Amino acid sequence: MDLRRDELATNLAEVRQRIRQAAESADRDPADVTLVVVTKTWPAGDVRLLAELGVRHVGENRDQEAAPKAAELTDLALTWHFIGQLQTNKARSVATYADVVESVDRVKLVHALDAAAGRASRHLDVLAQVVLDVQPGRGGATVSDVDAVAEAIASAEWLKLRGVMAVAPLDVDPIPAFQEVRRIADHVAATYPEARVMSAGMSGDLEAAVACGATHVRVGSAVLGHRPPVR
Ligand SMILES: *Cc1c(COP(=O)(O)O)cnc(C)c1O
């Protein structure tokens, strides 16, 4: 356990340094970039160690895994980000533990999540997920329907629209992709002034995302190591 703690501490220090450097190179305050550590596939014990090392935001992408983990760790008062593709029939469970749902990509899901949040009497922060290259079977609103999704979130009783989330397409230069995300984020913030979050950037491309104005980076493997294969 101590070895694992040391490993996580070292990796975390490295990632924090990368964020600091990227922010400073972009003339940004490093404090304006929130690190969300993506703990999917890793045990609750690792999340506990991360909390001891000062991590406040964690990200999970599967309800079946996230729900029991969050239940086991309620004493840590972490902010739980749900970042995975979300089916409407999982909204009810996710609304009971998630604080931020980053992956909301269709109006039907907005309605399901709002009803679920109301049922749980919990207000949720929500991001509209955009995809830049639309691939069948992957989540995300296309650039053209992000307005409809954002509007539905903003008018939902229990949801607060906080901004946008994106994953850069694979095998492309991330800078133009993140510049496009920045443009969409600015467009959303122009209509909804409280929606200023731009969640973008992962282990491999966080510098590019921070350079383009990401307020949240979602980092998994650079902190926790390479994920064991999904069961
Ligand atoms: C897994 C995941 C991440 C983290 O990816 P790493 O490359 O491990 O940093 C970020 N965002 C989403 C949506 C993910 O599913």
Side-chain angles (χ1 to χ4, degrees):
M1 218 49 175
D2 272 351
L3 273 178
R4 183 59 170 155
R5 192 182 204 281
D6 292 347
E7 183 184 8
L8 293 177
T10 304
N11 292 348
L12 202 53
E14 225 163 81
V15 167
R16 285 177 171 147
Q17 177 62 16
R18 284 174 62 193
I19 293 170
R20 197 173 314 120
Q21 249 161 24
E24 279 162 8
S25 314
D27 264 324
R28 299 185 56 202
D29 183 347
D32 291 341
V33 182
T34 299
L35 170 62
V36 179
V37 178
V38 179
T39 50
K40 66 188 183 196
T41 76
W42 298 100
D46 281 352
V47 183
R48 197 169 280 284
L49 291 172
L50 289 166
E52 287 170 21
L53 295 166
V55 170
R56 304 310 314 152
H57 295 261
V58 294
E60 287 282 336
N61 73 335
R62 287 169 69 239
D63 174 61
Q64 302 92 296
E65 180 187 343
K69 237 188 247 182
E72 191 179 331
L73 300 170
T74 46
D75 59 305
L76 300 178
L78 291 165
T79 299
W80 291 84
H81 294 243
F82 191 86
I83 62 171
Q85 230 177 310
L86 180 54
Q87 279 148 10
T88 50
N89 65 353
K90 295 287 162 63
R92 204 159 133 188
S93 172
V94 167
T96 63
Y97 61 85
D99 303 289
V100 187
V101 181
E102 298 202 8
S103 44
V104 173
D105 60 357
R106 56 203 191 280
V107 171
K108 192 177 160 210
L109 176 58
V110 175
H111 296 320
L113 199 58
D114 188 36
R119 191 182 186 105
S121 295
R122 296 183 74 235
H123 289 280
L124 305 180
D125 284 344
V126 171
L127 306 183
Q129 184 183 352
V130 293
V131 280
L132 302 169
D133 67 334
V134 186
Q135 285 166 16
R138 299 195 62 189
T142 59
V143 174
S144 59
D145 50 33
V146 68
D147 284 342
V149 173
E151 209 225 300
I153 297 167
S155 8
E157 189 180 350
W158 291 88
L159 310 181
K160 284 178 273 185
L161 177 66
R162 293 301 188 196
V164 303
M165 176 275 220
V167 180
L170 297 171
D171 307 322
V172 302
D173 181 357
I175 289 278
F178 289 137
Q179 283 171 337
E180 174 70 358
V181 179
R182 178 74 261 163
R183 196 189 62 73
I184 297 164
D186 288 344
H187 166 77
V188 169
T191 311
Y192 308 100
E194 289 179 3
R196 308 211 149 271
V197 169
M198 170 177 158
S199 172
M202 317 200 296
S203 292
D205 57 15
L206 72 87
E207 283 84 358
V210 170
C212 297
T215 61
H216 290 64
V217 293
R218 307 176 308 268
V219 180
S221 50
V223 173
L224 288 138
H226 285 289
R227 282 180 287 279
V230 177
R231 290 138 297 175

